[in-house]
């Protein structure tokens, strides 16, 4: 039986991610003051930020090859400028932040594998001793040369979205996608890892649970095992409108992060007045905009720009960040950006499990 991820496991998952990173003295001594400032902020209810971010989410590209209806990019609803992050700007950011970074997430709203220099990006980060995670819709893995380059890049973790195991259910959400191509890409990557005797990247298949595919969960498990992947994750769906909820939310309530009350969508659970990510992990989009988190899809609340506003560390400790942290501590539920955010809730991931 599938059960909700226990909220008390999340801090331990974060600790495990930190401990998995290659360590240097500078990286090690940076973590305690960052964590302590977060704890003290919660205790005193005022924003305190010490040290440098030890995690970073960076968006290589805000473009995508698919047209998923609930994705801002796929649905054509993203209003900010779109494109690839210039490699020169990327290396400059990592040169600034690398000495303190333990973990880099290379994606946000777009498809990272559309960036022509993604492999170079991964290698550059790995040379600076950090774990690197990226995510893909899987359409660019079926080339033997790409698979070899990806395995040899040192990438630690790869999430492949696979939201259906038949063409009908897959294309019910992944509009414009090709299930056979994705499956062949996964097989190619697994085969390449074995041939090169590599343990990485760790391959996780992700399944967004929706009304039209919830009956395929057990078959998805079996497929993941057959493909030779390492882990699966079953993830709840984010919706923004009542029509989206009625169309896509699963029938089984335990697979939802929302409840419907008198025609209104509400998150299941109460928003707490804190957020780890704005103390631990900035988000930098492909246009250089620094955001509080990945839920700010359209740069509605920019906190600076990494291309033109000076070092990221200055933005991190600047007035805009301090003000936003203060608002989080005072009344997070009054911030429109946070009202559909899953931070602190138990319904984001239904389950992660080894294959």
């Amino acid at each position: 039986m599938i059960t909700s991820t226990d909220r008390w496991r999340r801090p331990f998952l974060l600790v495990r991610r930190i401990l998995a990173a290659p360590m240097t003295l500078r990286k090690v001594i940076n973590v305690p003051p960052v964590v302590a400032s977060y704890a003290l902020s919660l205790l005193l209810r005022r924003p305190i930020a010490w040290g440098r971010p030890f995690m970073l989410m960076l968006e290589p590209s805000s473009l995508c090859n698919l047209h998923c209806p609930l994705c801002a990019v796929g649905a054509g609803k993203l209003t900010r400028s779109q494109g690839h992050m210039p490699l020169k700007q990327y290396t400059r950011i990592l040169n600034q932040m690398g000495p303190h970074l333990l973990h880099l997430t290379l994606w946000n709203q777009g498809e990272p594998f559309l960036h022509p220099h993604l492999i170079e990006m991964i290698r550059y980060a790995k040379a600076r001793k950090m774990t690197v995670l990226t995510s893909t819709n899987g359409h660019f893995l079926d080339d033997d040369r790409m698979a070899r380059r990806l395995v040899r890049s040192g990438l630690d973790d790869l999430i492949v979205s696979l939201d259906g195991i038949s063409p009908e259910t897959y294309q019910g959400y992944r509009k414009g996608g090709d299930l056979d191509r994705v499956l062949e890409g996964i097989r190619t990557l697994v085969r390449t890892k074995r041939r090169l005797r590599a343990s990485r990247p760790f391959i996780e298949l992700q399944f967004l649970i929706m009304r039209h595919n919830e009956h395929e969960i057990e078959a998805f498990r079996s497929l993941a095992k057959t493909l030779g992947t390492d882990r699966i994750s079953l993830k709840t769906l984010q919706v923004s409108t009542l029509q989206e909820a009625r169309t896509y939310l699963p029938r089984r309530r335990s697979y939802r992060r929302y409840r419907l009350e008198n025609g209104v969508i509400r998150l299941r659970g109460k928003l707490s007045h804190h957020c780890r990510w704005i103390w631990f992990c900035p988000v930098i989009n492909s246009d250089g905009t620094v955001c509080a988190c990945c839920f700010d899809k359209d740069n509605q609340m920019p906190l600076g720009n990494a291309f033109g506003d000076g070092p990221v560390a200055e933005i991190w400790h600047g007035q805009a960040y301090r003000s936003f942290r203060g608002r989080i501590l005072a009344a997070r539920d009054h911030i429109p950006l946070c009202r559909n955010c899953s931070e602190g809730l138990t319904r984001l991931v239904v389950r992660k499990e080894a294959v």
Side-chain angles (χ1 to χ4, degrees), residues 72-143:
V73 176
K77 296 180 179 179
L78 202 70
T79 59
R80 61 179 166 94
S81 61
Q82 292 182 253
H84 303 318
M85 177 174 285
L87 185 60
K88 183 177 180 180
Q89 295 289 0
Y90 170 84
T91 57
R92 189 174 67 85
I93 291 169
L94 279 204
N95 287 342
Q96 293 174 19
M97 302 184 67
H100 300 93
L101 283 181
L102 295 171
H103 179 84
L104 175 66
T105 296
L106 273 177
W107 93 80
N108 189 10
Q109 297 305 313
E111 167 54 51
F113 281 78
L114 284 176
H115 198 294
H117 301 295
L118 180 67
I119 300 299
E120 289 91 332
M121 288 177 156
I122 296 169
R123 287 174 175 164
Y124 200 82
K126 291 303 299 178
R128 277 140 190 82
K129 300 185 184 303
M130 62 191 76
T131 60
V132 181
L133 162 69
T134 193
S135 177
T136 180
N137 58 44
H139 285 78
F140 304 95
L141 303 176
D142 59 340
D143 178 83

Side-chain angles (χ1 to χ4, degrees), residues 338-353:
C338 301
R339 289 176 186 159
N340 197 16
C341 175
S342 57
E343 166 64 14
L345 303 180
T346 63
R347 299 284 174 175
L348 175 60
V349 177
V350 175
R351 192 173 182 87
K352 285 181 180 283
E353 57 188 54

